[in-house]
Amino acid sequence: MRKTPMPLPMPLKHSFPPVAAADARVLVLGSLPGDRSLAAQRYYAHPQNQFWQLMGPVVGVDLVAMTYDDRLAALRARGVALWDVVGSARRPGSSDAAIVDIAGNDIAGLVARLPRLRAIAFNGGTALKQGLKLLGADHKGPAIVPLPSSSPLHTIGLAAKQPAWSQLTAFLLDPPGSRA
């Protein structure tokens, strides 16, 4: 009798540390970095991911033309923080639909450490679904902003995605009469 080999377990994939300054006003949460991003150890490293193109108009800077470190510095300087809702999980490839064995990041803890935070934006449906679970049903904090995924797997096109992403700009501005 011939034995069928046992499939190897999928390796555990881990998200990156948050990129956040204490004065952040918008927190953009993805799901879990894809394989290209994990290999490069950089947020949104896949060349077809539209994140940097979508965020450039939000912060008023051509992020695509910058080095990775300058991109992160520009986001921090303009009040944008980045992280992922999934701290670790197993997933073949990069599709959010294949994520299993999820352990969430401490999103509520990060939100509590950002006193000027005005919005939590979720980059795609998986990030939104998992993020709302982590924040809890009684979340009364910053506004929740669902966004179309910047992933190349979400094929509606940059022009169709940009209006939703551009609404983040309003959360970065000082409210009228404020002394920020």
Side-chain angles (χ1 to χ4, degrees):
M1 180 175 203
R2 186 172 176 196
K3 288 187 176 182
T4 305
M6 293 293 292
L8 294 174
M10 288 181 285
L12 196 59
K13 298 178 180 184
H14 299 274
S15 67
F16 307 133
V19 173
D23 63 347
R25 294 177 184 201
V26 171
L27 172 59
V28 179
L29 296 169
S31 55
L32 178 69
D35 287 348
R36 288 263 185 107
S37 293
L38 291 169
Q41 287 296 290
R42 296 179 174 193
Y43 281 98
Y44 304 104
H46 193 291
Q48 292 177 337
N49 192 295
Q50 298 169 327
F51 178 82
W52 302 109
Q53 292 169 280
L54 292 163
M55 281 303 296
V58 171
V59 297
V61 177
D62 183 3
L63 295 169
V64 175
M66 298 176 149
T67 67
Y68 179 72
D69 290 338
D70 289 343
R71 289 173 179 176
L72 295 183
L75 291 180
R76 280 192 301 267
R78 285 160 179 81
V80 177
L82 294 179
W83 206 15
D84 289 300
V85 296
V86 177
S88 66
R90 297 185 192 285
R91 174 185 64 198
S94 297
S95 172
D96 282 358
I99 295 174
V100 296
D101 299 332
I102 294 172
N105 275 322
D106 183 11
I107 303 303
L110 179 61
V111 168
R113 293 189 303 274
L114 300 174
R116 295 188 67 200
L117 197 65
R118 298 174 66 200
I120 303 169
F122 292 99
N123 183 357
T126 299
L128 177 66
K129 179 181 174 186
Q130 294 299 321
L132 291 177
K133 284 182 192 176
L134 294 170
L135 288 172
D138 61 342
H139 171 73
K140 305 248 187 301
I144 300 296
V145 182
L147 298 171
S149 176
S150 65
S151 167
L153 297 176
H154 188 60
T155 59
I156 66 168
L158 185 67
K161 294 176 186 180
Q162 192 66 63
W165 283 76
S166 291
Q167 68 182 320
L168 298 178
T169 302
F171 294 103
L172 298 173
L173 303 173
D174 290 326
S178 73
R179 302 173 130 207

